[in-house]
């Protein structure tokens, strides 16, 4: 039996190069950051945490670094911290939900100054997107708390 040699010539090389270039262009269009043409602005992002142990709530101070603990995204610094009574819902004997609070816990409203890009439903910080209602594990200073985004307001400078 006679073996045929596979030949690779200049035409084959050009075809392979065109295919690789086409795949690269399509990939760049699909996976590029569409928000990259938008400008970065400053926002006040409010976070509400309804049930934080009192000793932890008292550790959060103005100027503390704020981080999304799940996505490891820096969310700026604490501008203001407000403590209130914790907010817990319990079911009554009649089957209705009643808002109560715990003696040894607080609710925390935290406002952070965040550098971000706007998108249709909120803001983008790095590669992470946040909108009102977004739940997250949050670090403020050395304290880890669980809450949600309760407001996003662009800072007009």
């Amino acid at each position: 039996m006679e073996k045929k040699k596979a030949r690779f010539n200049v035409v084959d090389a050009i075809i392979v190069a065109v295919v690789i270039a086409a795949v690269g262009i399509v990939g760049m269009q699909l996976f590029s950051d569409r928000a990259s043409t938008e400008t970065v602005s400053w926002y006040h992002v409010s976070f509400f945490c309804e049930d934080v142990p009192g000793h932890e709530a008292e550790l959060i101070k103005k100027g503390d670094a704020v981080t999304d603990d799940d996505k490891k995204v820096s969310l700026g610094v604490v501008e203001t911290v407000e403590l209130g009574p914790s907010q817990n819902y319990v079911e009554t004997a009649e089957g209705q939900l009643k808002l109560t609070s715990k003696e040894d816990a607080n609710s925390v409203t935290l406002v952070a100054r965040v550098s971000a890009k706007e998108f249709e439903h909120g803001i983008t910080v790095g590669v992470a997107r946040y909108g009102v209602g977004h739940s997250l594990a949050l670090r403020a200073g050395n304290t880890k708390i669980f809450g949600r985004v309760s407001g996003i307001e662009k800072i007009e400078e």
Side-chain angles (χ1 to χ4, degrees):
M1 290 187 132
E2 187 177 316
K3 291 186 178 182
K4 292 186 178 180
K5 284 188 174 181
R7 292 190 180 190
F8 190 77
N9 59 31
V10 174
V11 174
D12 294 332
I14 291 172
I15 291 172
V16 170
V18 168
V19 169
I20 290 173
V23 169
I25 290 170
V26 170
M28 286 176 55
Q29 288 178 347
L30 289 175
F31 299 110
S32 68
D33 182 14
R34 290 183 176 92
S36 64
T37 59
E38 298 173 11
T39 59
V40 174
S41 300
W42 287 101
Y43 293 85
H44 278 140
V45 180
S46 302
F47 301 95
F48 181 70
C49 308
E50 53 201 27
D51 188 22
V52 178
H55 65 282
E56 292 176 17
E58 293 167 1
L59 293 174
I60 302 169
K61 304 290 183 224
K62 181 177 180 174
D64 282 347
V66 180
T67 306
D68 179 336
D69 197 51
D70 296 327
K71 297 179 181 174
K72 309 299 184 229
V73 173
S74 175
L75 296 173
V77 296
V78 174
E79 292 267 309
T80 62
V81 181
E82 293 179 21
L83 304 182
S86 68
Q87 295 185 7
N88 299 281
Y89 288 91
V90 294
E91 189 173 350
T92 65
E94 296 80 33
Q96 297 181 345
L97 291 179
K98 180 180 177 185
L99 180 62
T100 64
S101 65
K102 295 180 188 174
E103 227 176 86
D104 60 343
N106 295 95
S107 64
V108 175
T109 301
L110 170 87
V111 178
R113 182 178 169 96
V114 179
S115 174
K117 295 177 185 176
E118 188 173 3
F119 82 102
E120 184 179 2
H121 303 291
I123 59 173
T124 302
V125 182
V127 295
R129 291 184 165 190
Y130 301 92
V132 174
H134 181 98
S135 297
L136 69 158
L138 190 66
R139 285 204 185 267
N142 293 325
T143 304
K144 182 175 181 177
I145 54 180
F146 299 91
R148 65 183 175 278
V149 176
S150 59
I152 299 173
E153 186 177 314
K154 189 172 187 176
I155 301 172
E156 300 299 330
E157 295 185 31

